[in-house]
Amino acid sequence: MTVLEVKNATKRFGSLIAVRDVSLSVPKGELRAIIGPNGAGKTTFFNLISGFFPPSSGAIEFDGRDITQLAAHKRVGLGMARTFQITEIFPELTVFENVRIGAEVAGGYCLRPWISESEKSGVETRVEEILKLTGLQSKLNRLVGELAHGSAVGGNRHGADAQTASFAARRADCWYGRSRNL
């Protein structure tokens, strides 16, 4: 089964063609890397996949469903997640609180002022799973601002835009291995 299928995606900004006729197929359980020099269109391509920009032409399917015109927040509801080059963390909150915010957003609770006890329990279980997968259980009560820069996590499917830029090669291998389990 193919999880993600991009067919001949093109993105134009006026006369500038940022992404031209790119296709990508990602079968379930596999990872793909998008590499290239600065200005090659990698971030724009991630923006097309995640719904931040609509393609000028082409199609995008997720789990067999055409999502080409689907808004970014609705793609999250289908289980698609994305990270950014500039990690969005809250340095004044703990590791647990930062991961909890991501789990709440991924769970669809981001615009609700409160959640039920059962929903809260489900979010906390997911946070504990993520902390275990990432090896951060021992740091769950530490303020994020006190820690060295690391990777962002969350969601079923994970797009990492230059996420390994600050890692040594062996740390990147470890990150990709762990992200496969998220």
Side-chain angles (χ1 to χ4, degrees):
M1 177 183 160
T2 301
V3 175
L4 177 67
E5 185 83 32
V6 181
K7 301 174 185 175
N8 306 104
T10 296
K11 182 60 181 176
R12 291 180 182 86
F13 296 99
S15 62
L16 173 71
I17 301 174
V19 173
R20 180 182 304 201
D21 199 32
V22 176
S23 295
L24 172 73
S25 181
V26 182
K28 184 175 182 167
E30 292 193 18
L31 296 173
R32 296 288 187 266
I34 309 300
I35 61 172
N38 289 343
K42 300 177 300 294
T43 298
T44 301
F45 185 60
F46 270 97
N47 286 336
L48 296 177
I49 292 170
S50 59
F52 284 92
F53 296 151
S56 302
S57 62
I60 302 167
E61 293 179 4
F62 184 68
D63 281 341
R65 177 179 173 179
D66 184 348
I67 61 166
T68 307
Q69 300 302 319
L70 199 63
H73 71 279
K74 292 190 177 182
R75 294 178 194 208
V76 170
L78 296 176
M80 183 180 279
R82 176 202 170 145
T83 62
F84 296 87
Q85 289 178 354
I86 301 170
T87 306
E88 296 295 328
I89 59 172
F90 300 98
E92 70 282 359
L93 298 180
T94 66
V95 169
F96 182 89
E97 291 166 331
N98 269 271
V99 175
R100 186 192 70 223
I101 290 168
E104 287 176 354
V105 170
Y109 307 122
C110 62
L111 297 177
R112 293 174 48 191
W114 61 85
I115 61 176
S116 71
E117 285 299 318
S118 65
E119 291 167 332
K120 181 179 177 184
S121 175
V123 167
E124 288 179 356
T125 298
R126 182 64 180 139
V127 170
E128 290 167 6
E129 291 170 356
I130 292 168
L131 291 172
K132 183 176 180 183
L133 281 169
T134 57
L136 292 172
Q137 310 97 309
S138 66
K139 295 177 174 54
L140 71 107
N141 292 315
R142 298 265 316 266
L143 293 178
V144 170
E146 298 173 352
L147 303 176
H149 181 73
S151 64
V153 296
N156 302 355
R157 280 51 173 243
H158 195 77
D161 186 8
Q163 202 51 228
T164 60
S166 65
F167 289 128
R170 67 174 192 256
R171 300 259 318 156
D173 288 343
C174 178
W175 183 85
Y176 281 117
R178 287 179 177 168
S179 70
R180 186 184 294 271
N181 294 318
L182 294 175

